[in-house]
Amino acid sequence: MTTVAAPAPSQHPAPARSRGALLIRARRAGVRWKARRLTCARAVILDVETTDLDGSICQIAVIDTKGQVLINTLVNPLRPCSPYATAVHGLADADLVDAPTWAQIWPAVRDAVNGRTVLAYNAPFDRGRVLADCARAGLSPGPLAVAGHNVVVT
């Protein structure tokens, strides 16, 4: 697990006349702290598309913080996409028929995230879908098994 320390208190306090200046400094420190997390060389960004809100993964992408694409693939979910999901991501069942299954691509995904901080816009959702698909396929979720272990940002 990669840990990034929270920002240290500023050595230059805000002028007493302006509580607003203190808030601005705190926000800037928070932004700098988040930026350091995003530039962490060991971080990756993960995103999934699914067949429904509680469905299977039908597309997954993993990139590093330098923009290098580690994985970007369609996934045959072995179940149909809901019309709602298709309207959101544009993937129809016919697009996924010849794609690899979750069991086939999971080893590459596991290797891409192992030992790294995983950043995701909606981490609980993405992690939940990965865990569900691993369980459905009888696979160990490996580095994503422990809640909060290395999946951050919501």
Side-chain angles (χ1 to χ4, degrees):
M1 178 175 138
T2 303
T3 304
V4 178
S10 174
Q11 300 298 322
H12 308 285
R17 69 181 186 283
S18 172
R19 183 172 183 268
L22 181 62
L23 291 175
I24 290 169
R25 286 191 109 107
R27 287 185 186 129
R28 285 182 184 156
V31 167
R32 285 191 301 273
W33 178 72
K34 289 176 184 175
R36 283 196 305 273
R37 285 195 100 158
L38 291 175
T39 58
C40 174
R42 297 295 303 157
V44 292
I45 299 142
L46 179 140
D47 188 36
V48 301
E49 298 295 342
T50 60
T51 58
D52 207 342
L53 286 177
D54 202 27
S56 295
I57 294 171
C58 59
Q59 185 176 27
I60 186 165
V62 180
I63 64 171
D64 66 19
T65 56
K66 294 177 182 166
Q68 176 70 38
V69 176
L70 305 177
I71 296 171
N72 184 17
T73 185
L74 296 176
V75 179
N76 183 336
L78 305 174
R79 60 182 57 203
C81 284
S82 74
Y84 170 76
T86 297
V88 170
H89 53 56
L91 298 172
D93 296 336
D95 300 322
L96 307 171
V97 171
D98 295 324
T101 64
W102 182 252
Q104 291 170 319
I105 62 113
W106 171 242
V109 174
R110 181 194 59 223
D111 292 347
V113 301
N114 194 28
R116 296 178 173 215
T117 298
V118 179
L119 307 171
Y121 173 70
N122 187 354
F125 175 80
D126 290 354
R127 179 178 174 271
R129 297 299 83 222
V130 168
L131 295 178
D133 280 5
C134 283
R136 201 173 356 267
L139 303 167
S140 168
L144 299 179
V146 181
H149 172 68
N150 67 342
V151 182
V152 297
V153 180
T154 58

